[in-house]
Amino acid sequence: MDNIVIVRGGGDLATGVIHKLHRCNIKVLVLECEHPTAIRRTVSFCNAVFENEMEVEGIKCRLAKNIDEIGSIFEDGDVPLIIDEKCEILDKIRPIALIDAIIAKKNIGTNKNMAPITIALGPGFDAGKDVDAVIETKRGHNLGRIIYEGYAAKNTGIPGDIKGYSKERVIHSPSEGVINNISHIADYVEKGQIIATVGNENVYASLSGILRGIIYDKTYVKKGLKIADIDPRKEELQNCYKISDKARCIGGGALEALLNMCFTKNIKIF
């Protein structure tokens, strides 16, 4: 259990970080909540919560029930994930670094006392106070940049533009209730098509394209929660199964920050 990096969250952006670190032979333990609400589940390690294991671009993440299973998964060369929303595992494991990749747009409990090195992704964290470093997650010139003092850019709530579509790409729940998926990730859907129901209300495709993401079937959702994402580019079907450019860039920033601080603080990671 030496030289472990803990990553809070296993969504698509977190998976970009986890994948990058694992490929560099860094041992990563993923902490997730009991009911993840990731949309791009085909490229999110958190899907292991539902399916017991999840493979993304050749790397397998497996659900662990206890600390012994975490050790066994490490020995097998895979990435362990445990349900631990409150970081209770820190009473048993002392990581060299902790990365908050929840992308909650606010700090929900991560602090510098959790590990010798602390890193957070996106807005809501004061670099130098809440954590050692923050990685910019907003698309643009600063995406992936390491911030050692201050905050990342505030969340605009506006998705990135693809083929002239931005807000139209994202679908939010029309009501509160259990979602029943009709369409599946990688399906081609037409604008106005019913892709799911929430309670007694239909969820309609906001535009024609590839259903790049949809929340896990039978999940209880609140009104207004992001539940689906459509890519208007019919030819980009393979993107449903590949880590995004944004996630890779953020992963690179997190890796750089981690290695830089290991050197600065004289911490051995290998």
Side-chain angles (χ1 to χ4, degrees), residues 47-54 61-65:
N47 209 43
V49 172
F50 305 112
E51 306 291 343
N52 289 316
E53 64 178 48
M54 183 65 194
C61 179
R62 293 159 53 197
L63 180 64
K65 296 179 181 178

Side-chain angles (χ1 to χ4, degrees), residues 36-140:
T37 56
I39 304 301
R40 298 199 64 215
R41 293 180 289 105
T42 46
V43 287
S44 295
F45 284 136
C46 68
N47 209 43
V49 172
F50 305 112
E51 306 291 343
N52 289 316
E53 64 178 48
M54 183 65 194
E55 185 170 328
V56 178
E57 293 195 27
I59 292 177
K60 186 181 293 183
C61 179
R62 293 159 53 197
L63 180 64
K65 296 179 181 178
N66 52 53
I67 196 166
D68 290 332
E69 289 190 5
I70 290 172
S72 295
I73 294 170
F74 274 135
E75 289 178 4
D76 292 339
D78 297 328
V79 176
L81 178 151
I82 192 165
I83 296 173
D84 183 10
E85 191 171 355
K86 297 181 179 179
C87 292
E88 294 175 351
I89 197 74
L90 292 179
D91 292 333
K92 300 176 181 179
I93 296 176
R94 297 303 299 171
I96 60 170
L98 182 141
I99 301 175
D100 188 314
I102 299 172
I103 318 293
K105 313 297 193 302
K106 60 182 179 180
N107 187 349
I108 57 175
T110 296
N111 63 75
K112 291 177 73 174
N113 295 324
M114 288 179 163
I117 296 170
T118 51
I119 300 168
L121 309 187
F125 300 89
D126 189 349
K129 294 183 180 180
D130 297 331
V131 292
D132 293 303
V134 171
I135 309 302
E136 182 59 71
T137 58
K138 183 181 178 181
R139 283 192 180 276

